[in-house]
């Protein structure tokens, strides 16, 4: 269930959002090694955002997955996602933060697979 949520201050009318969604979906599935059928992507444009004191194109993204993330994978994802954000949204890599969150089955003090619903049940 990899889910990538992207927020950017880039105006949506300047972007072909369906291309961004498709490109991000493919790269997340490929790098994590999970079927694209389970990948969800959302992109919100025109979000008021200031980064490094300016309102130049910027973005914030969060990627959550049940397994599949880790230091090496996160570096690959960061590079691939940043490339798409730069080519499709004009957001330079140095104006984007990406938060990675790997959900693992754990004690009840932390999120677990049962905390995510899908298809009328949980993972």
């Amino acid at each position: 269930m990899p889910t990538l949520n992207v927020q950017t201050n880039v105006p949506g009318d300047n972007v072909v959002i369906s291309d961004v969604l498709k490109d991000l979906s493919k790269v997340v599935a490929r790098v994590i090694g999970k079927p694209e059928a389970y990948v969800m992507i959302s992109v919100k444009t025109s979000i008021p955002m200031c980064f490094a004191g300016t309102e130049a194109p910027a973005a914030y993204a969060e990627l959550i997955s049940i397994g599949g993330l880790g230091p090496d994978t996160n570096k690959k994802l960061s590079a691939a996602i940043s490339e798409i954000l730069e080519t499709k949204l004009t957001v330079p890599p140095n104006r984007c933060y990406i938060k990675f969150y790997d959900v693992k089955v754990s004690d009840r003090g932390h999120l677990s697979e049962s905390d995510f619903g899908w298809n009328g049940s949980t993972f």
Side-chain angles (χ1 to χ4, degrees):
M1 55 80 40
T3 302
L4 175 65
N5 298 305
V6 179
Q7 298 178 31
T8 181
N9 59 354
V10 174
D13 54 356
N14 297 341
V15 178
V16 181
I17 292 296
S18 62
D19 288 349
V20 178
L21 294 170
K22 290 174 190 174
D23 289 354
L24 289 170
S25 182
K26 285 179 185 4
V27 80
V28 167
R30 178 180 51 79
V31 174
I32 292 179
K34 295 199 176 199
E36 192 174 3
Y38 295 122
V39 175
M40 179 182 283
I41 308 291
S42 76
V43 176
K44 295 179 183 175
T45 59
S46 304
I47 302 293
M49 188 176 293
C50 177
F51 187 97
T54 77
E55 294 179 47
Y60 176 74
E62 291 185 347
L63 178 61
I64 186 168
S65 181
I66 299 174
L69 298 179
D72 292 336
T73 301
N74 294 357
K75 279 187 179 183
K76 292 174 187 172
L77 284 163
S78 183
I81 291 167
S82 293
E83 181 180 339
I84 292 168
L85 297 182
E86 184 171 31
T87 59
K88 302 287 185 180
L89 297 175
T90 70
V91 175
N94 67 341
R95 292 193 51 82
C96 178
Y97 285 139
I98 305 171
K99 177 183 175 184
F100 299 99
Y101 190 75
D102 194 348
V103 177
K104 296 182 174 39
V105 177
S106 62
D107 61 29
R108 289 310 304 159
H110 299 92
L111 290 175
S112 70
E113 292 171 333
S114 64
D115 293 318
F116 292 89
W118 175 74
N119 200 24
S121 187
T122 60
F123 284 93

